[in-house]
């Protein structure tokens, strides 16, 4: 899919600071709405335990990822940390549109902004907000998967990311997960009908 090529389907984009509940919302929507299909991102890192190639990510390795950049195979990509690349393959979106699905993205804030710029009116973008920075910190700590340094880094990044909500079509506060999913599902159904 080249930028000049006609966009043949619609997309739903979700972005949020870590701990806002974005991935939980995305999973709930995928379970409820058969018309949605998840866009699998590509990355340069090695798979973690229990991660599967072409299910969790397209694990390309650093050189493989750089080769895809040269081939102009990405809609958007980012070097999140040194040699840690993440991106959206054009072929993945084409594959899902060929199945007559609305493509659903779960991406970081800058990826979300870039995808919205690329797709324009063919995408509806959501920014998921925590009720407060204190609630966000509590959620990150309750995961018990991060070191103290990682939590502090994520909170600093979250403060910057929260200032980007204006670049999204809808900013939704995730205070009550069930109500948030219901609200977003209504908005998506209205958009894709």
């Amino acid at each position: 899919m080249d930028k000049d090529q006609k966009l043949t389907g619609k997309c739903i984009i979700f972005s949020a600071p870590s701990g806002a509940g974005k991935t939980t919302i995305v999973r709930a929507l995928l379970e409820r709405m058969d018309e949605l299909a998840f866009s699998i991102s590509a990355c340069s890192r090695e798979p973690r335990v229990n991660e599967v190639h072409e299910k969790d990510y397209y694990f390309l390795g650093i050189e493989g990822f750089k080769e895809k950049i040269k081939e102009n195979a990405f809609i958007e990509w980012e070097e999140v940390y040194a040699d840690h690349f993440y991106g959206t393959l054009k072929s993945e979106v084409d594959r899902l549109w060929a199945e007559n699905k609305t493509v659903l993205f779960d991406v970081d804030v800058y990826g979300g902004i870039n995808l919205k710029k690329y797709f324009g009116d063919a995408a509806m973008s959501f920014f998921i907000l925590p009720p407060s920075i204190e609630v966000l910190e509590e959620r990150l700590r309750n995961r018990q998967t991060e070191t103290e340094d990682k939590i502090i880094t994520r909170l600093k990044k979250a403060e910057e990311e929260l200032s980007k909500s204006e670049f999204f079509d809808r900013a939704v506060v995730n205070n009550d997960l069930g109500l948030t999913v219901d609200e977003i599902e209504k908005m998506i159904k209205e958009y894709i009908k």
Side-chain angles (χ1 to χ4, degrees):
M1 170 179 38
D2 291 320
K3 181 64 175 141
D4 301 329
Q5 192 175 334
K6 184 179 181 315
L7 300 176
T8 59
K10 289 189 175 180
C11 302
I12 307 296
I13 303 164
F14 282 92
S15 296
S18 186
K22 158 181 63 92
T23 301
T24 304
I25 291 166
V26 164
R27 286 186 185 133
L29 291 166
L30 287 167
E31 283 180 22
R32 289 183 183 194
M33 302 178 70
D34 291 337
E35 57 268 62
L36 301 179
F38 185 72
S39 172
I40 301 168
S41 295
C43 68
S44 62
R45 68 172 174 76
E46 292 297 312
R48 294 184 183 123
V49 177
N50 298 329
E51 285 185 328
V52 178
H53 179 65
E54 296 183 2
K55 180 179 177 281
D56 297 297
Y57 285 96
Y58 292 102
F59 294 101
L60 304 178
I62 295 167
E63 291 313 311
F65 201 102
K66 288 179 178 177
E67 192 57 40
K68 291 284 188 194
I69 292 170
K70 286 181 196 164
E71 294 169 8
N72 195 28
F74 292 104
I75 292 170
E76 60 82 34
W77 62 271
E78 200 177 331
E79 187 173 13
V80 181
Y81 305 102
D83 284 337
H84 281 74
F85 295 91
Y86 289 85
T88 303
L89 290 162
K90 294 174 184 177
S91 59
E92 175 69 356
V93 174
D94 285 339
R95 178 182 73 81
L96 296 173
W97 279 349
E99 296 174 8
N100 293 315
K101 296 290 188 174
T102 297
V103 181
L104 192 146
F105 295 98
D106 176 346
V107 294
D108 77 346
V109 173
Y110 294 100
I113 291 168
N114 289 334
L115 286 170
K116 178 61 182 176
K117 280 183 194 167
Y118 184 89
F119 289 110
D121 291 341
M124 175 181 258
S125 61
F126 288 91
F127 189 91
I128 306 302
L129 295 153
S132 68
I133 201 79
E134 292 78 20
V135 169
L136 188 71
E137 180 176 358
E138 184 181 320
R139 288 176 182 173
L140 288 171
R141 291 186 185 287
N142 287 342
R143 285 181 178 176
Q144 298 182 344
T145 58
E146 313 278 343
T147 64
E148 184 64 22
D149 285 348
K150 277 256 171 92
I151 290 171
I152 290 166
T153 299
R154 287 188 186 277
L155 287 170
K156 282 182 185 165
K157 188 172 183 183
E159 288 179 20
E160 176 201 340
E161 290 171 333
L162 288 168
S163 71
K164 305 296 182 199
S165 66
E166 67 192 72
F167 295 102
F168 292 78
D169 297 319
R170 303 275 193 279
V172 180
V173 177
N174 180 20
N175 199 16
D176 177 303
L177 183 64
L179 293 175
T180 301
V181 173
D182 289 345
E183 177 187 354
I184 292 171
E185 182 181 14
K186 281 183 197 151
M187 287 188 260
I188 291 173
K189 283 183 173 174
E190 182 64 29
Y191 172 70
I192 64 176
K193 71 176 185 182

